Structure formats: C-alpha cells, structure tokens
Amino acid sequence: MNNKKGLLKSLLPWLILLAGLSIMIPFLNQGNSHEIKYNEFVKVVQDEKVQSVKITPSSLVIDVDGVYTKKVDGQKKEVSFSTTIPKTDSELDSLINLLDEKNVQITMIDQNDRGIFMEIVMTLLPYVLIIGAMFFLVRMMSNGAGGNAKAFEFGNSRAKLEKNSKTRFSDVAGMDEEKEEVKELVDFLKTPKKFSDMGAKIPRGVLLVGPPGTGKTLLARAVAGEANVPFYSISGSEFVEMFVGVGAGRVRDMFKKAKQTAPCIIFIDEIDAVGRQRGTGMGGGHDEREQTLNQLLVEMDGFSGNEGIIVLAATNRADVLDPALLRPGRFDRQIQVANPDKAARAKILAVHARNKKFTPDVNFENIAQRTPGFSGAELSNVLNEAALLAVRQNHDLITMADIDEAVDRVMGGPAKKSRKYTEKERRLVAYHEAGHAVIGLTLEDANKVQKVTIVPRGQAGGYNLMTPKEETYFQTKSQLKATIAGFMGGRVAEEIFFGDVSSGAHNDIEQATRIARMMVTELGMSELGPIQYDSENGQVFLGRDYTQRSNTHSGQIAYEIDVQVRKLIDECYNQAKEIIEENRDKLSCIAEALLEYETLAGEDIESLFNTGKMLEHHNGTIDETKTEEPVETEKKESLDDADDLLDEMK
C-alpha cells in the first residue's frame, strides 16, 4: 500500500505535465496558420498576394487554406491562413472565379477521401507518444538500481538478501577464537529455546573490528551459512542520501523486511559511515547522517522489539563510533579480528590453495614466515598473482620463485626491469642490500633476511625483505636497537666499500629515526626515564589523523630528546659498522651473487654466508618433479649406510 502511494506521488508531476500538453496540442497543430475573415481573404486575393489555396467542402461550410505573401520589416514573408465560407453553390462559384482570375493555384479536397480513421489517428497520436515516452521513462528509472530498489522509492531498503549461503566456518581459516565467539549466534538461531529456558539473552548486535581484508565480511557470511537463515547485507554509505529522511526510512524498511523473514542476520559493512559520534558534523544534531543513526539506535534497542534479528557490523574505526551504539543492548559484543599470525597465515594459504597446483618445494609455513602483517585478502592475492605468473612463464606448476615474485608485487608493485642502472649504481645497490642482509644474519635480535633483490620496484632501487625470527606481541629494547642497526647496515656498507654514501638510504634513515624517537618519547627507553612526552590524542571533529601532536614539554626537554635520539642512532650505527668490518668477505660474496643473479632468497643468502655457494631450485616442470624419486631413494640408501657405519663403530 505504501509503495502504491509513493508511486502515485511520484507520477503526479507527470500527470500534470500531460494535462498541460493536451491543452497545448490543438494550438500546436495549427502551426503558424491564423484565421482571417472572408472579406479580408477576398482583399488579399484581389491584391494578388495569394499563391495557392486548398478548398475542402464540408457539411455546412467550405474550408479554405492557403499561403499569401506579406511584408514584414521590409521583407516578403509567406504566411499561412485559413478561412470559412457558407456552403452554397453561388459562394463556391464566386470564389473559384475570383481565384482563376488572379491565377491562384487551386486544390480541391474531398472530405470523404480523408477518412475518419486517419482523422482519429492524427488526433490521438501526440497523446499516445507522450504516454508511451512517460511509461518508458518510469520503467527505465525503476530498473536503474539493479532491481533491488526503485528510483522513486527512495525510502526503501537497499539491503541485498541472500538465502542459502554456501559459506561455512571451514572456509574461514586462521580465526579460531573469533569463530568460537560467533558460534553462539548460530546455536541461538538454530535452537533459541535452549537459551530462553536458561534465561539467557543472545547479543542483539555483534561488532567486528579489525583492519581491512581480515575476513570480517567472510565471517559474517559464514554465520549465516552455518545457521541457514536469510542474510541481509548493506554498506553504511547506502543509508545516507542527499534527501532528508531517506536514511531513516531505509533503516525502518530494512528492519521491517527482516521481521518478516526472522530469524535472520543483518550485516552492515563499514558502519562508521553512518555510526560516527553525534555532534561532530557541520550540521549540528540535525544532519541526515545523525537522523539515520538515531533511527538505527531505536530499531536495535527501542520500544518495539526485533526478536530473532541479529545485527552484525564491521568497521576498522571503532574509535569514532557513537557511545550509544556500543552500549549493551545494541552492540553487546565486540570481536577483534586482527591480522593473522604465522600459524593462521599458513592455514589461510592452505584454504586459498585448494584449486591450485604447486611444486614439491612449496611450503606454506615458509610463505607464512615471509609475509608478516599480511591480511587474509592479501594472502589470497599473493597466491592468485603467483598462479598468473606461473601461466605467464608457461609453468606446469606454481614454483616458489613465482610465489616470491607475487609477494614482491603485492608489497612493492611489479619489477621495473626496463630501468637501467650504470655499473657503478648496480654495485652500490648490491653492496647496500648485502649490508642489510649481513646485519640480519649476524645480530641475534635483528630481523631475519627473507629475500634480497637489486631489481627496482616503485621508488626503491633495491629491496630487502626482513622479518622477525619469531612473531611476538612486544618488542624489547635490544630488539628495537637491532632493528635500527639493520636499517643502518646499507649506509655503513656504502661507506666502507666505496668511501662515499648515496641517497639510497633515505628510507632507512627515516625508519631508524622514527623508531629511535618512539623509544625516547613514547616507550621510555632512554636516559630520560619512563616518561611519555608526545601525545597523539585529537578531536573527532577535526579528525584524529590530521591533528598535530600536542607537545607540552619545554624547549630544554626537546633538546634532551634530540640528544637521546642521536645517541641511540650513533650507538646502532657503530654496532653495524663493527659487524660489517668483521664480515667484509662474506658481504662481498653476497653482493657479487646479487650482481650475477639480481635476486636471492633467504636460503640462498644463508648458504652464501655460511658456505659461499648457491642452492639448487625447482624449475616448475612436471618432468623434474618425476625425476626427484631416485634422489629420494639415494637419500634413503645413504641413511642406511650411515646406520651401518654407526653399528660398526659400536
């Protein structure tokens, strides 16, 4: 009923326009012709201004239409006219004689030849065309929103309904704790009586908080799939329009539809688009976004209960959400969906590798070690890029080299092999990157080297992937200092081997300075003591990310902070210099291998550092995979021989 009323209101302007056109059409049909009196017509004919006429005898009168010339602003202009005379033989004969006398072209038209049908068609045709055009316009605009909403029904929900979702918890890897939290929702949706008998109330809403790409939407879809209930999904930005009251109307309509299909799940992605803290916008408390938020608050926990409806929402900015949205009764539970750790990354890779073929040396544990901080979406992208690279290289299987290149493409973009360096620049970059690698291999608390390349990517002339030996949630002072020393390794290598330094260490110095300043001003890891000197708190209205840090300390303290930062940098620099001086030969070996191969994996670097030789790698063909069987047999025989030798020694 409401939809019909809305459609009628939207069609009302068109109906008014149609009525106006119907009034104007008779006048438009006359064109430029104007009615003149018969005596005026006779005078015009006598002045020899008429060129041609059409005479149409009807039942009572005779219609005369024609064209005559008239001077307008000194120029002759043709003007159409029409007139009528009584239908008598004498009047008709007199008219024809006059026209013959003045050599006017006469065309006689029989009224019966025009046909009644054509008269009706010509009269109704403009109306039919207008109605048809209006109907076509309405249909096109109604289907413009993808079939989920009509253009005239602004207040209708844009939520997409998905039934019989195929996603299950088995498709969600690396989130064991998160899945345990949401399994209660599945149990409630399947057997709500079990909870009601115990007097327990299931959370009205669950907020999934985490960085982009961590699988928040996938987890929500898996809940709907496991519970086998309708799943409504919508983005927070789809509520807000330029028209006042549209967002609130869409919220009401969404919950109204959800009630009809309860039990069900409503998933609001990027809820921070509509759920930001009230009173911080330019429109005070009456802008459209806040009205939409108020309606959402009422629907989630208002006077009218929405039993059987569970609201899941996702955001990566929980700090900007309104407190009323986060209180118990609305979003009762918050689930942190963080980036996966090493074990979780290996499980995620295994899920995304189900339909892909790999060489035997591909180890997901190794890949997980090389991708710290990667989200689930980025890991999926890595394997997809590796598959594309394997096809591009005409490989039968995805190799470890393909995966390494895919990781580099995701992190730094495609390699710019067309960029040509001079031989001096190539050697400088090779020794620079080898300096980083040596620090990582020798310093206990330094990050482990996973890959080194001198192929340019993005703005970097070389690339050095270093990851922590073990993923920890905290970092000690010694680990942070080792990280700074690792950043200084490249600059130190340039100074020792070339007696000069380059601008290639710009990013290294920036990162090292950032860590050192953080140690002094935020972590209390200096002689100034455990005092925090810098604060990053900002106003929501201005945007926390754009506010300046509020430094409340004096100029003397600022000087002492700079002294401590310099002291840390100098200490780490000298440590890196000492290590590289002790391992000059090994660094040269790694650098020369980089000049030859351009890219070295972590295993290759360790082998060069320890033995001075490179490792052998799989080339990605099936034939090579088959030839590896006798090698395994030989290994088994060698092991048996070793056992026999031990027995003889005993």
Side-chain angles (χ1 to χ4, degrees):
M1 186 67 181
N2 293 332
N3 294 342
K4 292 181 179 179
K5 289 182 179 179
L7 184 60
L8 182 61
K9 290 181 180 179
S10 57
L11 289 177
L12 185 59
W14 297 97
L15 296 175
I16 296 174
L17 178 62
L18 179 61
L21 291 175
S22 63
I23 297 173
M24 295 174 61
I25 284 175
F27 299 97
L28 296 175
N29 289 335
Q30 294 180 2
N32 295 326
S33 178
H34 65 279
E35 187 83 16
I36 62 176
K37 297 180 179 179
Y38 183 68
N39 55 354
E40 295 178 2
F41 166 70
V42 173
K43 186 178 184 301
V44 172
V45 175
Q46 290 176 349
D47 294 340
E48 299 182 353
K49 297 180 179 180
V50 179
Q51 300 175 0
S52 61
V53 295
K54 294 180 180 179
I55 300 176
T56 307
S58 57
S59 59
L60 298 175
V61 295
I62 299 174
D63 298 323
V64 181
D65 302 312
V67 179
Y68 73 94
T69 57
K70 181 180 180 182
K71 284 188 177 181
V72 179
D73 298 331
Q75 296 181 353
K76 291 184 178 181
K77 184 179 179 182
E78 294 185 350
V79 181
S80 300
F81 71 90
S82 64
T83 186
T84 58
I85 62 174
K87 186 181 179 182
T88 61
D89 293 338
S90 59
E91 290 290 346
L92 182 60
D93 293 340
S94 175
L95 174 62
I96 292 175
N97 291 332
L98 177 61
L99 296 174
D100 288 337
E101 182 181 347
K102 300 299 181 182
N103 296 320
V104 179
Q105 184 180 355
I106 302 172
T107 303
M108 300 294 295
I109 299 176
D110 189 359
Q111 178 71 19
N112 296 327
D113 294 341
R114 299 178 67 175
I116 299 176
F117 179 75
M118 289 302 298
E119 288 287 338
I120 297 174
V121 170
M122 295 304 295
T123 304
L124 297 179
L125 183 61
Y127 301 99
V128 174
L129 292 176
I130 293 173
I131 295 174
M134 187 181 68
F135 179 76
F136 177 76
L137 181 63
V138 171
R139 287 292 299 272
M140 290 294 292
M141 295 182 68
S142 300
N143 297 328
N148 292 324
K150 293 182 172 58
F152 296 119
E153 299 173 355
F154 295 106
N156 285 8
S157 172
R158 300 289 181 91
K160 301 175 180 64
L161 175 59
E162 180 181 348
K163 295 183 178 180
N164 301 322
S165 175
K166 304 298 182 182
T167 308
R168 298 292 186 267
F169 283 145
S170 58
D171 300 319
V172 183
M175 290 192 288
D176 297 335
E177 292 81 6
E178 291 83 353
K179 286 190 288 187
E180 288 295 328
E181 289 291 326
V182 297
K183 279 182 179 179
E184 287 184 359
L185 305 180
V186 177
D187 294 338
F188 171 77
L189 292 171
K190 287 184 175 180
T191 56
K193 190 175 182 301
K194 180 172 63 174
F195 291 86
S196 60
D197 293 342
M198 189 61 66
K201 294 183 179 179
I202 203 67
R204 186 73 54 91
V206 177
L207 183 65
L208 305 176
V209 183
T214 52
K216 299 184 294 294
T217 304
L218 181 64
L219 182 61
R221 199 177 301 276
V223 172
E226 290 286 345
N228 195 24
V229 296
F231 183 75
Y232 294 87
S233 60
I234 190 172
S235 174
S237 60
E238 295 185 66
F239 288 112
V240 184
E241 293 278 359
M242 64 179 291
F243 303 105
V244 178
V246 172
R250 288 177 178 174
V251 172
R252 285 192 297 269
D253 188 65
M254 180 179 66
F255 277 89
K256 178 182 177 182
K257 292 179 178 178
K259 288 179 184 178
Q260 298 172 356
T261 58
C264 62
I265 292 175
I266 295 176
F267 177 67
I268 305 175
D269 199 10
E270 304 296 341
I271 194 174
D272 52 277
V274 69
R276 285 180 175 262
Q277 186 173 338
R278 290 170 292 182
T280 58
M282 297 299 295
H286 299 284
D287 66 332
E288 172 63 10
R289 181 185 58 79
E290 292 195 5
Q291 292 185 32
T292 306
L293 175 59
N294 291 334
Q295 186 62 43
L296 180 62
L297 296 175
V298 172
E299 293 291 343
M300 290 191 67
D301 188 21
F303 289 105
S304 61
N306 293 313
E307 300 296 333
I309 301 175
I310 295 177
V311 181
L312 297 180
T315 182
N316 52 8
R317 295 296 307 273
D319 57 319
V320 302
L321 295 181
D322 193 276
L325 197 62
L326 302 177
R327 74 157 177 83
R330 292 188 175 118
F331 285 105
D332 309 80
R333 183 177 298 177
Q334 294 189 32
I335 300 177
Q336 297 292 329
V337 185
N339 283 326
D341 57 9
K342 179 183 176 182
R345 290 196 298 272
K347 294 179 181 178
I348 294 172
L349 288 168
V351 170
H352 293 295
R354 291 174 178 173
N355 60 340
K356 297 178 177 63
K357 300 177 181 179
F358 299 89
T359 57
D361 62 336
V362 173
N363 187 354
F364 293 143
E365 295 287 342
N366 193 3
I367 302 172
Q369 178 68 31
R370 303 184 184 198
T371 53
F374 274 45
S375 65
E378 290 173 327
L379 293 172
S380 175
N381 192 26
V382 165
L383 293 186
N384 186 63
E385 286 287 342
L388 295 175
L389 290 170
V391 174
R392 188 182 303 175
Q393 299 294 332
N394 294 321
H395 292 170
D396 300 319
L397 306 171
I398 301 174
T399 65
M400 201 66 195
D402 296 329
I403 297 175
D404 286 337
E405 177 64 20
V407 172
D408 295 340
R409 290 175 70 90
V410 172
M411 296 182 66
K416 297 183 178 181
K417 296 183 179 180
S418 60
R419 185 187 298 176
K420 300 298 182 182
Y421 288 142
T422 63
E423 186 60 27
K424 182 180 179 181
E425 288 176 327
R426 290 186 75 250
R427 294 188 66 83
L428 186 69
V429 173
Y431 277 84
H432 180 104
E433 301 300 335
H436 290 303
V438 169
I439 299 295
L441 290 170
T442 55
L443 204 55
E444 179 65 26
D445 293 324
N447 292 335
K448 183 180 178 182
V449 181
Q450 298 292 344
K451 184 177 184 179
V452 178
T453 180
I454 60 173
V455 178
R457 292 182 184 273
Q459 299 297 322
Y463 177 66
N464 195 324
L465 177 61
M466 302 178 70
T467 62
K469 294 181 175 64
E470 294 182 359
E471 291 189 29
T472 58
Y473 292 99
F474 307 100
Q475 286 184 298
T476 63
K477 182 178 180 180
S478 59
Q479 289 174 332
L480 292 173
K481 290 174 66 176
T483 303
I484 297 175
F487 283 122
M488 293 289 105
R491 167 62 67 91
V492 172
E494 293 179 10
E495 183 180 346
I496 291 177
F497 285 91
F498 298 94
D500 198 1
V501 293
S502 69
S503 61
H506 172 269
N507 186 65
D508 298 332
I509 296 174
E510 180 182 356
Q511 295 295 329
T513 306
R514 180 186 61 81
I515 296 173
R517 182 166 290 277
M518 181 181 65
M519 292 174 64
V520 175
T521 60
E522 298 180 34
L523 304 179
M525 296 181 179
S526 69
E527 296 177 1
L528 297 181
I531 302 174
Q532 187 177 24
Y533 292 101
D534 289 344
S535 176
E536 295 184 354
N537 295 327
Q539 299 296 323
V540 180
F541 176 78
L542 298 174
R544 292 191 176 99
D545 295 338
Y546 300 99
T547 54
Q548 298 292 328
R549 293 185 175 183
S550 58
N551 297 324
T552 58
H553 47 76
S554 63
Q556 178 64 28
I557 294 296
Y559 171 75
E560 293 181 7
I561 290 174
D562 292 338
V563 171
Q564 293 298 319
V565 171
R566 180 182 294 275
K567 185 178 180 180
L568 281 172
I569 295 293
D570 291 341
E571 183 181 345
C572 296
Y573 189 90
N574 293 329
Q575 185 182 19
K577 190 173 184 178
E578 182 181 348
I579 292 173
I580 290 178
E581 288 283 4
E582 294 176 356
N583 298 275
R584 289 176 63 102
D585 296 338
K586 296 180 179 180
L587 192 150
S588 298
C589 180
I590 296 173
E592 294 299 327
L594 271 174
L595 290 171
E596 181 179 356
Y597 298 100
E598 291 189 337
T599 301
L600 299 176
E603 296 83 356
D604 297 323
I605 298 172
E606 290 184 10
S607 179
L608 288 168
F609 186 84
N610 295 322
T611 65
K613 298 180 180 180
M614 289 279 293
L615 296 176
E616 296 182 359
H617 296 279
H618 202 287
N619 65 1
T621 60
I622 296 178
D623 294 338
E624 186 176 338
T625 305
K626 294 179 180 179
T627 59
E628 290 185 358
E629 294 180 358
V631 177
E632 295 180 358
T633 305
E634 292 177 2
K635 288 182 179 179
K636 292 180 179 179
E637 291 176 357
S638 62
L639 291 174
D640 293 337
D641 294 341
D643 292 339
D644 295 339
L645 180 62
L646 289 174
D647 292 337
E648 292 177 2
M649 293 176 63
K650 291 178 181 179

